[in-house]
């Protein structure tokens, strides 16, 4: 496949923000493609070279890309810099410069295979001399590129490709391009993706063996599974009712979710909730898991929490977040901020998948294969059948340092549902009993200049929730409170890469911030209550025509949700559910109870 076909499709994708149109363009693009190009096109279109969990990065800084553009177009580097500053996008500048340069007649047109191979070489160049290799490879590619191709190549290497196709849209397109486009087909394709986290792999199996071929995609040690997620209920009585009167309650530990892949021999790999590999951050878990798990290869899931080195007591979450992303002083961190992994599920044991077994069978298996040690334990659990029993267990969980309980269905159908949020698991935190107590994970889509003490900095941020049905980020609040000076100073750095001169097409809002941000950074906020708003667009029209949901008195909790990608933020549907719970709660509470919500 020629690369210019892909570039032309990107141009069309960029020009639309309608999901149906995007899907149609994608279907047209991918239908004629076969492996291995197919997988490569899908990864490239998401701005990646490999499935996200592999964490492959190109390692191309702005300055390096500028140098490559200057060399390839025989321009002065300083001039390239000036032009890119004016256009706000080095890709656009590269296209302009390439347009003014005579193209080699003899050059072969770029193919997707060439581009993919060269980009892979750029990613693989490591160590001494690697910068030169990266520049040279990029110069070669740009030397053969048309202006349009050059624009997208530059954006790709800088990580600023803005075609905006996310997984959900690609899954739709796969169902239409390679199956009958029905809901049933879409569901089967998504299920294969949830188990493998690899769209290229799923697309390949689908094209070569049809929908039935997807059954061949199973679990593999080292390839993360998309996590099963929980719903909420406002009271323990409601939790039990949902569960049919009986449920397995577990301590809800407040830490980092970890999916551990433990091979028969060889290194253990740990993945975060958003499937990033975090093995390097927790060497003690990597070291202790093999002896703690009897039947390997195994895939187990748990929550990693900080514990007191002397007493073994659970410590506040903030301590474990310090261990994330930490590259230095790992030895020091291990002794100063010790952690323990509380396992709550098993998806593969002795090489055989267990995820489709009902939860009680999985729990039994978990108990039989785990030999607890200093760093590995099993989540506390009790099966309860009354509100009194449930309340007593909740009290135990809270006093042991948990933040509430996780209720798990013990019914026949209680298989592990990868990538799905449902009432098979229900989270209940103690503070749900007062008004809107749960926090919301919002995506930053804009920023406002500060005034007074915050002059010259950002003073507030526009936040959105994610709507997977529309594949849009719908705003629900503008938050300025709760940031300390250090956090506020950190925001421009965290956001710099995502600034956008135009409103990003995937953002839906009635407000214009001073600066738009492409959806990336997720932060946790709390607020007094959810209300209806004419300017915010979260779940717009669900309660009243033209009105979206908005959070009153929002406050940043201090927690950056680096373990969540933008599409894993709170969803519009969840926000709507929270709004409804709050309305029910108000109806049930005496007036002074409602006051406590502020
Ligand atoms: P979500 O994961 O539902 O999007 P979130 O990341 O904001 O939401 P919470 O709302 O606090 O997290 O609750 C869900 C999380 O609780 C799980 O993803 C998991 O990390 C954690 N957790 C703690 N204890 C357990 C347990 N016993 N069983 C399952 N999950 C648990």
């Amino acid at each position: 496949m020629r690369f210019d076909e892909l570039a032309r499709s990107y141009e069309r994708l960029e020009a639309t923000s309608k999901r149906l149109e995007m899907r149609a363009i994608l279907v047209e693009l991918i239908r004629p493609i076969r492996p291995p190009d197919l997988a490569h096109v899908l990864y490239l279109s998401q701005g990646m070279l490999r499935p996200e969990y592999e964490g492959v990065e190109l390692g191309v800084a702005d300055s390096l890309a500028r140098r490559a553009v200057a060399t390839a177009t025989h321009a002065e580097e300083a001039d390239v810099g000036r032009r890119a500053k004016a256009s706000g996008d080095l890709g656009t500048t590269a296209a302009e410069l390439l347009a003014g340069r005579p193209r080699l007649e003899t050059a072969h047109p770029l193919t997707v295979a060439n581009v993919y191979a060269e980009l892979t070489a750029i990613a693989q160049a490591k160590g001494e001399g690697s910068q030169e290799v990266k520049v040279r490879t990029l110069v070669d590619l740009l030397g053969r590129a048309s202006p349009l191709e050059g624009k997208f190549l530059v954006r790709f290497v800088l990580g600023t490709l803005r075609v905006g196709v996310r997984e959900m849209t690609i899954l739709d397109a796969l169902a239409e391009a390679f199956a009958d486009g029905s809901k049933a087909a879409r569901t089967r394709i998504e299920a294969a993706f949830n188990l493998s986290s690899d769209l290229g792999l799923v697309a390949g199996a689908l094209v070569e063996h049809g929908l039935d071929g997807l059954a061949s995609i199973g679990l593999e040690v080292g390839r993360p599974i998309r996590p099963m997620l929980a719903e909420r209920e406002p009271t323990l009585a409601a939790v039990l009712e949902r569960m049919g009167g009986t449920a397995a309650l577990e301590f809800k530990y407040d830490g980092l979710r970890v999916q551990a892949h433990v091979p028969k021999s060889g290194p253990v790999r740990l993945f975060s909730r958003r499937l990033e590999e975090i093995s390097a951050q927790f060497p003690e878990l990597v070291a202790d898991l093999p002896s703690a798990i009897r039947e390997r290869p195994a895939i187990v899931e748990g929550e990693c929490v900080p514990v007191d080195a002397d007493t073994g007591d659970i410590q506040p979450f903030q301590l474990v977040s310090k261990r994330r992303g930490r590259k230095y002083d790992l030895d020091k961190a291990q002794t100063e901020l010790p952690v323990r992994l509380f396992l709550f599920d098993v998806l593969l044991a002795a090489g055989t998948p267990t995820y489709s077994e009902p939860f009680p069978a999985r729990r039994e298996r978990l108990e039989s294969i785990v030999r607890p040690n200093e760093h590995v334990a099993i989540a506390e659990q009790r099966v309860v059948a009354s509100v009194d029993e449930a309340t007593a267990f909740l009290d135990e969980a809270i006093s042991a340092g948990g933040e509430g309980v996780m209720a798990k269905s013990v019914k026949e159908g209680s298989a592990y549902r990868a990538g799905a949020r449902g009432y098979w698991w229900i989270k209940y935190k103690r503070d749900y009993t007062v008004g809107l107590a749960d926090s919301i994970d919002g995506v930053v889509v804009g920023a406002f200049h500060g005034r007074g003490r915050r002059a010259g900095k950002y003073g507030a941020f526009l936040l959105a929730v994610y709507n997977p049905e529309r594949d849009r980020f719908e705003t629900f609040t503008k938050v300025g409170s709760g940031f300390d000076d250090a956090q506020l100073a950190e925001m421009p750095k965290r956001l710099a890469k995502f600034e956008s001169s135009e409103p990003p097409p995937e953002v839906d809002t009635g407000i214009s911030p001073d600066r738009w941000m492409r959806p990336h950074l997720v932060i946790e906020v709390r607020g007094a209550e959810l209300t209806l708003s004419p300017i915010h667009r979260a779940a717009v029209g669900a309660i009243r025509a033209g009105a979206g949901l908005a959070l009153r008195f929002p406050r940043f909790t201090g927690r950056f949700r680096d373990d969540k990608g933008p599409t894993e933020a709170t969803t519009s549907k969840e926000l709507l559910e929270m709004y409804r719970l709050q309305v029910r709660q108000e109806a049930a509470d005496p007036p002074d109870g409602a006051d406590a919500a502020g």
Side-chain angles (χ1 to χ4, degrees), residues 227-232 250-258 273 302-303 342 344 379-380 403 406 408 421 425 427 429 432 438-439 441 524 559 561 563-564 568-569 574:
M228 176 166 178
L229 302 171
E231 286 283 357
R232 310 176 169 79
E250 293 179 355
F251 282 10
K252 185 172 185 311
Y253 302 93
D254 192 13
L256 274 185
R257 185 166 183 162
V258 170
R273 184 188 178 293
E303 190 85 353
F342 288 92
F344 54 72
E380 287 294 329
E403 58 166 350
M406 265 288 192
K408 303 198 170 169
R421 193 182 292 285
W425 285 9
K427 49 193 179 189
K429 297 181 204 170
Y432 273 26
D438 200 14
S439 54
D441 297 321
E524 187 183 80
R559 191 160 171 176
R561 292 299 311 253
D563 60 329
K564 284 193 169 186
E568 286 149 335
E574 284 181 273

Side-chain angles (χ1 to χ4, degrees), residues 254-255 305-309 311-320 338 400-402:
D254 192 13
V305 294
V307 288
D308 184 297
T311 61
D313 288 349
I314 294 175
Q315 301 293 299
F317 164 82
Q318 274 68 15
L319 292 177
V320 75

